[in-house]
Amino acid sequence: MTRSLRTGAIAVAALAASFALTACGSDDAKKDSGADAPASATPGAGGGEGSGESGGGSVDAAALEGTWVGLTDGRHVTVSIAARKVALVADKSVCQGDVKDMGGEPMLALKCTDGGTERTMGAIDSVDGSKLVVSWDGGAKDTLAKAEAGKLPSGMPSLPDLGDLPEVPAP
């Protein structure tokens, strides 16, 4: 019982940290993606402000900025990216790391607190202003929607009722 409470508390703390990261950098993400668009856009490539699409072209790391949420195999996945730093909460795993340039393409390189390896190296399949698709070396593939800056996403699980916990005696 205390293990699940600890896991829940860690997940909530990581989620709160990821939202704090996103809220702090929300204005910069729009500015950065717009600044890179003229240099990387090609006529007829389907790009737009902050599109960063990878449909055959390269992915703009600035297009990854923000908080992305979704369900993979019925379990909630949250990825938050700000200033090339990444925080991920998936099922019972809490991971953090960086956006790394690998062969000219950005990848998510993470380390998980529980030692998990399912989501430690992620390739960006596609990203646009509203959807991010990441394929992980561990086999998972996450399709995530961009969360609105400064707002908690809907449909996220809540902590269990803590009324049944025994009282801890004072020392």
Side-chain angles (χ1 to χ4, degrees), residues 47-108:
E49 182 180 328
S51 74
E53 286 187 38
S54 67
S58 72
V59 175
D60 180 15
L64 300 173
E65 297 270 329
T67 298
W68 305 87
V69 296
L71 291 173
T72 300
D73 297 328
R75 299 185 185 268
H76 291 279
V77 177
T78 301
V79 176
S80 184
I81 303 171
R84 300 186 70 90
K85 298 291 183 190
V86 182
L88 176 137
V89 178
D91 194 21
K92 296 179 182 177
S93 293
V94 177
C95 310
Q96 61 184 8
D98 300 295
V99 176
K100 302 274 186 181
D101 286 318
M102 306 271 189
E105 294 292 325
M107 293 191 68
L108 307 182

Side-chain angles (χ1 to χ4, degrees), residues 167-171:
E167 299 233 358
V168 177

Side-chain angles (χ1 to χ4, degrees), residues 1-15 89 91-94 113-114 158-162 165-166 168:
M1 176 102 146
T2 56
R3 180 175 168 89
S4 64
L5 179 59
R6 249 184 289 155
T7 302
I10 290 171
V12 168
L15 188 59
V89 178
D91 194 21
K92 296 179 182 177
S93 293
V94 177
T113 57
D114 63 356
S158 60
L159 286 175
D161 181 21
L162 302 178
L165 292 175
V168 177

